[in-house]
Coordinates of all heavy atoms in Angstrom, one line a residue:
N449 N -11.2 -11.0 -21.8 CA -12.5 -10.6 -21.0 C -12.1 -10.0 -19.7 O -11.0 -10.4 -19.0 CB -13.3 -12.0 -20.7 CG -13.9 -12.5 -22.0 OD1 -14.3 -11.8 -22.9 ND2 -13.9 -13.8 -22.1
N450 N -12.9 -9.1 -19.1 CA -12.7 -8.5 -17.9 C -13.4 -9.4 -16.8 O -14.0 -10.3 -17.1 CB -13.2 -7.0 -17.9 CG -14.7 -6.9 -18.1 OD1 -15.5 -7.8 -17.6 ND2 -15.1 -6.0 -18.8
P451 N -13.0 -9.0 -15.5 CA -13.6 -9.8 -14.4 C -15.1 -10.0 -14.4 O -15.5 -11.1 -14.2 CB -13.1 -9.0 -13.1 CG -11.9 -8.3 -13.5 CD -12.1 -7.9 -15.0
A452 N -15.8 -9.0 -14.7 CA -17.3 -9.0 -14.7 C -17.7 -10.1 -15.9 O -18.6 -10.9 -15.6 CB -17.9 -7.7 -15.1
E453 N -17.1 -10.0 -17.1 CA -17.4 -10.9 -18.2 C -16.9 -12.3 -17.9 O -17.8 -13.3 -18.1 CB -16.7 -10.4 -19.4 CG -17.2 -9.1 -20.0 CD -16.4 -8.5 -21.1 OE1 -15.1 -8.8 -21.0 OE2 -16.9 -7.7 -21.9
I454 N -15.9 -12.4 -17.2 CA -15.4 -13.7 -16.8 C -16.3 -14.4 -15.8 O -16.7 -15.6 -15.8 CB -13.9 -13.8 -16.3 CG1 -13.0 -13.2 -17.3 CG2 -13.5 -15.1 -15.7 CD1 -11.6 -13.0 -16.8
G455 N -16.7 -13.6 -14.8 CA -17.6 -14.0 -13.8 C -19.0 -14.5 -14.3 O -19.5 -15.5 -13.9
E456 N -19.5 -13.7 -15.3 CA -20.8 -14.0 -15.8 C -20.7 -15.3 -16.7 O -21.5 -16.2 -16.6 CB -21.2 -12.9 -16.8 CG -22.6 -13.1 -17.5 CD -23.0 -12.0 -18.4 OE1 -22.2 -11.1 -18.5 OE2 -24.1 -12.1 -19.0
K457 N -19.5 -15.6 -17.4 CA -19.3 -16.8 -18.1 C -19.1 -18.0 -17.3 O -19.6 -19.1 -17.6 CB -18.2 -16.5 -19.1 CG -18.0 -17.7 -20.1 CD -17.0 -17.3 -21.2 CE -16.9 -18.4 -22.3 NZ -15.9 -18.0 -23.3
L458 N -18.4 -17.9 -16.2 CA -18.1 -19.0 -15.3 C -19.1 -19.2 -14.1 O -18.8 -20.0 -13.3 CB -16.7 -18.9 -14.8 CG -15.6 -18.9 -15.9 CD1 -14.2 -18.8 -15.2 CD2 -15.6 -20.2 -16.8
F459 N -20.0 -18.2 -14.1 CA -21.0 -18.3 -12.9 C -20.3 -18.1 -11.6 O -20.7 -18.8 -10.6 CB -21.9 -19.6 -12.9 CG -22.6 -19.8 -14.3 CD1 -22.0 -20.7 -15.2 CD2 -23.7 -19.0 -14.6 CE1 -22.7 -20.9 -16.4 CE2 -24.4 -19.3 -15.8 CZ -23.9 -20.1 -16.7
I460 N -19.5 -17.1 -11.5 CA -18.8 -16.8 -10.3 C -18.9 -15.2 -10.1 O -19.0 -14.5 -11.2 CB -17.4 -17.4 -10.1 CG1 -16.6 -16.9 -11.2 CG2 -17.4 -18.8 -9.9 CD1 -15.1 -17.3 -11.1
S461 N -18.6 -14.7 -9.0 CA -18.6 -13.2 -8.8 C -17.4 -12.6 -9.3 O -16.3 -13.2 -9.4 CB -18.8 -12.9 -7.3 OG -17.7 -13.2 -6.6
P462 N -17.4 -11.3 -9.7 CA -16.3 -10.6 -10.1 C -15.1 -10.7 -9.0 O -13.9 -10.7 -9.3 CB -16.7 -9.2 -10.4 CG -18.2 -9.4 -10.8 CD -18.6 -10.5 -9.9
N463 N -15.6 -10.6 -7.8 CA -14.5 -10.6 -6.6 C -13.8 -12.0 -6.6 O -12.6 -12.0 -6.4 CB -15.2 -10.3 -5.3 CG -15.5 -8.8 -5.1 OD1 -14.9 -8.0 -5.8 ND2 -16.4 -8.5 -4.2
T464 N -14.6 -13.0 -6.9 CA -14.0 -14.3 -6.9 C -13.0 -14.4 -8.1 O -11.9 -15.0 -8.0 CB -15.0 -15.5 -7.0 OG1 -16.0 -15.3 -5.8 CG2 -14.5 -16.8 -7.1
V465 N -13.3 -13.9 -9.2 CA -12.5 -13.8 -10.4 C -11.2 -13.1 -10.0 O -10.1 -13.6 -10.3 CB -13.2 -13.1 -11.6 CG1 -12.2 -12.9 -12.7 CG2 -14.4 -13.9 -12.1
R466 N -11.3 -12.0 -9.4 CA -10.1 -11.2 -8.9 C -9.2 -12.0 -8.0 O -8.0 -12.0 -8.2 CB -10.5 -9.9 -8.3 CG -11.3 -8.9 -9.3 CD -11.5 -7.5 -8.6 NE -12.1 -6.7 -9.6 CZ -13.4 -6.5 -9.6 NH1 -14.2 -7.2 -8.8 NH2 -14.0 -5.6 -10.6
T467 N -9.8 -12.8 -7.1 CA -9.0 -13.7 -6.2 C -8.3 -14.7 -7.1 O -7.2 -15.0 -6.8 CB -10.0 -14.4 -5.3 OG1 -10.6 -13.5 -4.5 CG2 -9.1 -15.4 -4.4
H468 N -9.0 -15.4 -8.1 CA -8.3 -16.3 -8.9 C -7.2 -15.6 -9.8 O -6.1 -16.2 -9.9 CB -9.4 -16.9 -9.9 CG -10.2 -17.9 -9.3 ND1 -9.8 -18.9 -8.4 CD2 -11.6 -18.0 -9.3 CE1 -10.8 -19.6 -8.1 NE2 -11.9 -19.2 -8.6
V469 N -7.5 -14.4 -10.2 CA -6.4 -13.7 -11.0 C -5.1 -13.5 -10.1 O -4.0 -13.7 -10.6 CB -7.0 -12.4 -11.5 CG1 -5.8 -11.5 -12.1 CG2 -8.0 -12.6 -12.6
N470 N -5.4 -13.0 -8.9 CA -4.3 -12.8 -8.0 C -3.4 -14.1 -7.7 O -2.2 -14.0 -7.7 CB -4.7 -12.2 -6.7 CG -5.2 -10.7 -6.8 OD1 -4.8 -10.0 -7.7 ND2 -6.1 -10.3 -6.0
N471 N -4.2 -15.1 -7.6 CA -3.5 -16.5 -7.4 C -2.7 -16.9 -8.7 O -1.6 -17.5 -8.5 CB -4.5 -17.5 -7.1 CG -5.1 -17.4 -5.7 OD1 -4.4 -16.8 -4.8 ND2 -6.3 -17.9 -5.5
I472 N -3.3 -16.5 -9.8 CA -2.5 -16.9 -11.0 C -1.3 -16.0 -11.1 O -0.2 -16.6 -11.5 CB -3.5 -16.6 -12.3 CG1 -4.6 -17.7 -12.3 CG2 -2.7 -16.6 -13.6 CD1 -5.7 -17.3 -13.3
Y473 N -1.3 -14.8 -10.8 CA -0.2 -13.9 -10.9 C 0.9 -14.5 -10.0 O 2.0 -14.5 -10.3 CB -0.5 -12.5 -10.5 CG -1.3 -11.6 -11.4 CD1 -1.8 -10.4 -11.1 CD2 -1.6 -12.1 -12.7 CE1 -2.5 -9.6 -12.0 CE2 -2.3 -11.4 -13.6 CZ -2.7 -10.1 -13.3 OH -3.4 -9.4 -14.2
K474 N 0.5 -14.8 -8.8 CA 1.4 -15.4 -7.8 C 2.1 -16.7 -8.2 O 3.3 -16.7 -8.1 CB 0.7 -15.6 -6.4 CG 1.5 -16.0 -5.3 CD 0.8 -16.2 -4.0 CE 1.8 -16.6 -2.9 NZ 1.0 -16.8 -1.6

């Protein structure tokens, strides 16, 4: 799933998803 799809599923914004993704990478 892409950030928009993840955000919709988890009820968070795509930008918040990207923040989580960056933290996961780190």
Side-chain angles (χ1 to χ4, degrees):
N449 293 326
N450 61 39
E453 292 168 333
I454 296 172
E456 183 178 359
K457 187 169 184 179
L458 300 181
F459 302 102
I460 55 179
S461 72
N463 283 339
T464 300
V465 172
R466 293 186 182 93
T467 298
H468 287 310
V469 171
N470 287 334
N471 289 336
I472 291 168
Y473 286 175
K474 184 177 179 180

